[in-house]
């Protein structure tokens, strides 16, 4: 069974669900780096949960708690079934994606395009709430394409909140469904953090977590003065030591070195290698650990080139650590 966590604490810092990135190996690493952060799965469509390999898709190490399952879809009955399966697998939260702008989600009528159908979203959320005992939450954008009216965004939230959903992760940009790639949708639409601030001020009973453009401890402190939590995406993945620094700054504890963090992760890595997992599937998530440090490029090079070779194991990680230590000593 999941450990008991104080909701207010675990809301303050979280790592965004990111397709192809936040798999179970990534989440295990982020748990070492940030013991108090809430982590999320990649978005999984409800049909994949119902009909796919559930152990491969949903299995995770108990150390990852608190961990949320993010679902995609627009069929209330299917989402309710998928949520029930997620709860049975031990997840602490079910999150509905109403923010992904890719062509695939548009074709399947889920993700960001759902922001134009608040009543359907409310039906989906109500069905999931009725199916599980754990929290059902939502991750959304501010609007779609030329939706630039704050009142429309607030009305969307109000319709969904009427179902009993009280936690909203707000990626504070619009989603442009035509003309921009998913990567461009994370960068080009302007950020409007003020909309999240206003929503929290006007709906204080809701938990509002901010996502989008957050990449420093100073920014996190500024946002947390007005909101319930912050969610980091690419910054957490590409610079995981920042995630560690944030965890210590917000929750206390001892700041550990990059080598100490990596060595704390190695027992999990060894266990997974023993289960037949290829090192390349695990090591790709730690490549940013030495970002901006002497030897960081060499660290990435050794792991990137070596992890793809047959029988690559812990000795490769040790070689990367040693090379980085030598570079650090030379730079001192």
């Amino acid at each position: 069974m999941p450990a008991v966590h104080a909701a207010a604490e675990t809301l303050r810092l979280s790592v965004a669900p990111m397709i192809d990135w936040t798999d179970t190996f990534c989440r295990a690493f982020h748990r070492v780096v940030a013991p108090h952060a809430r982590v999320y799965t990649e978005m999984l469509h409800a049909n994949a949960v119902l009909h796919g390999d559930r152990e491969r898709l949903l299995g995770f190490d108990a150390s990852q708690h608190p961990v949320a399952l993010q679902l995609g879809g627009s069929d209330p009955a299917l989402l309710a079934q998928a949520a029930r399966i997620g709860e049975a697998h031990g997840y602490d939260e079910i999150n509905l994606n109403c923010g992904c702008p890719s062509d695939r989600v548009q074709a399947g009528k889920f993700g960001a395009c759902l922001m134009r159908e608040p009543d359907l979203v409310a039906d989906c959320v109500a069905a999931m709430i009725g199916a599980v005992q754990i929290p059902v939450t939502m991750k959304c954008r501010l609007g779609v394409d030329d939706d630039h009216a704050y009142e429309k965004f607030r009305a969307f939230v109000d319709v969904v909140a009427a179902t009993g959903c009280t936690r909203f992760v707000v990626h504070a940009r619009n989603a442009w469904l035509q003309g921009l790639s998913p990567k461009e949708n994370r960068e080009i639409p302007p950020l409007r953090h003020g909309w999240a601030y206003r929503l929290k001020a006007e709906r204080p009973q809701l938990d509002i977590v901010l996502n989008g453009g957050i990449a420093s401890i100073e920014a996190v402190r500024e946002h947390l003065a007005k909101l319930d939590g912050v969610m980091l995406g690419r910054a957490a993945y590409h610079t995981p030591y920042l995630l560690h620094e944030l965890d210590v700054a917000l929750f206390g504890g001892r700041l550990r070195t990059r080598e100490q963090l990596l060595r704390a992760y190695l027992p999990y890595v060894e266990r997974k290698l023993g289960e037949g997992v290829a090192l390349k599937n695990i090591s790709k998530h730690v490549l940013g650990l030495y970002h901006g440090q002497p030897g960081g490029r060499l660290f990435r090079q050794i792991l990137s080139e070596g992890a793809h070779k047959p029988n690559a194991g812990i000795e490769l990680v040790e070689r990367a650590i040693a090379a980085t230590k030598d570079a650090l000593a030379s730079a001192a």
Side-chain angles (χ1 to χ4, degrees):
M1 292 296 293
V4 176
H5 300 277
E9 285 295 287
T10 61
L11 282 180
R12 292 174 67 199
L13 179 64
S14 55
V15 180
M18 292 176 280
I19 294 176
D20 296 329
W21 288 8
T22 52
D23 60 19
T24 189
F25 311 122
C26 175
R27 299 193 306 269
F29 175 56
H30 284 164
R31 176 57 65 232
V32 170
V33 170
H36 301 90
R38 181 169 291 255
V39 295
Y40 285 72
T41 68
E42 306 167 83
M43 180 183 67
L44 298 176
H45 193 279
N47 280 325
V49 174
L50 267 59
H51 305 297
D53 182 342
R54 292 180 186 172
E55 184 52 39
R56 180 181 64 81
L57 291 171
L58 299 176
F60 65 92
D61 190 84
S63 67
Q64 292 178 26
H65 291 295
V67 56
L69 169 64
Q70 188 183 67
L71 294 176
S74 57
D75 184 305
L78 295 182
L79 284 166
Q81 292 180 57
R84 193 177 296 113
I85 292 168
E87 181 181 45
H89 273 74
Y91 285 93
D92 300 289
E93 172 190 331
I94 306 295
N95 180 267
L96 179 64
N97 183 307
C98 288
C100 182
S102 74
D103 293 340
R104 182 168 64 90
V105 302
Q106 292 180 58
K109 195 182 175 183
F110 63 102
C113 59
L114 285 178
M115 295 204 66
R116 288 179 168 163
E117 302 191 55
D119 292 333
L120 174 58
V121 174
D123 289 343
C124 293
V125 171
M128 290 190 289
I129 288 175
V132 299
Q133 299 299 310
I134 57 178
V136 174
T137 67
M138 171 173 297
K139 188 171 189 287
C140 64
R141 294 280 185 131
L142 300 180
V144 175
D145 294 333
D146 293 323
D147 296 335
H148 297 307
Y150 167 78
E151 291 74 17
K152 185 173 183 179
F153 164 66
R154 185 183 60 194
F156 172 85
V157 171
D158 284 344
V159 170
V160 178
T163 67
C165 178
T166 62
R167 189 181 307 164
F168 294 81
V169 179
V170 178
H171 185 166
R173 306 179 192 267
N174 276 30
W176 293 0
L177 300 184
Q178 301 295 329
L180 293 183
S181 69
K183 179 179 184 296
E184 290 170 329
N185 256 293
R186 294 190 298 270
E187 300 169 350
I188 293 177
L191 285 163
R192 295 188 178 114
H193 291 155
W195 283 28
Y197 295 168
R198 183 175 171 184
L199 180 65
K200 178 61 183 179
E202 294 175 355
R203 302 292 185 266
Q205 75 278 15
L206 300 179
D207 291 324
I208 306 299
V209 176
L210 181 68
N211 174 228
I214 305 171
S216 71
I217 294 177
E218 294 74 18
V220 166
R221 293 192 187 280
E222 178 181 344
H223 296 317
L224 287 179
K226 300 176 182 179
L227 299 167
D228 299 289
V230 294
M231 174 181 279
L232 276 69
R234 269 66 194 169
Y237 191 87
H238 290 308
T239 54
Y241 199 72
L242 170 64
L243 184 62
H244 177 60
E245 291 175 315
L246 279 170
D247 194 274
V248 172
L250 296 179
F251 303 100
R254 177 176 57 88
L255 198 64
R256 293 192 281 178
T257 67
R258 291 165 174 81
E259 181 181 349
Q260 287 171 334
L261 292 171
L262 188 53
R263 291 199 178 281
Y265 184 50
L266 287 186
Y268 171 85
V269 175
E270 288 187 288
R271 188 164 74 252
K272 290 302 171 183
L273 292 175
E275 295 172 4
V277 177
L279 180 63
K280 64 182 181 181
N281 295 329
I282 305 173
S283 61
K284 63 182 181 180
H285 300 301
V286 309
L287 295 179
L289 184 58
Y290 286 87
H291 176 80
Q293 298 295 299
R297 181 177 297 179
L298 184 58
F299 176 81
R300 293 191 300 273
Q301 180 181 356
I302 290 171
L303 287 183
S304 297
E305 294 178 356
H308 293 268
K309 297 178 180 179
N311 302 316
I314 293 297
E315 67 282 352
L316 181 70
V317 183
E318 291 288 357
R319 184 154 61 88
I321 292 173
T324 306
K325 289 172 71 173
D326 289 343
L328 287 168
S330 298

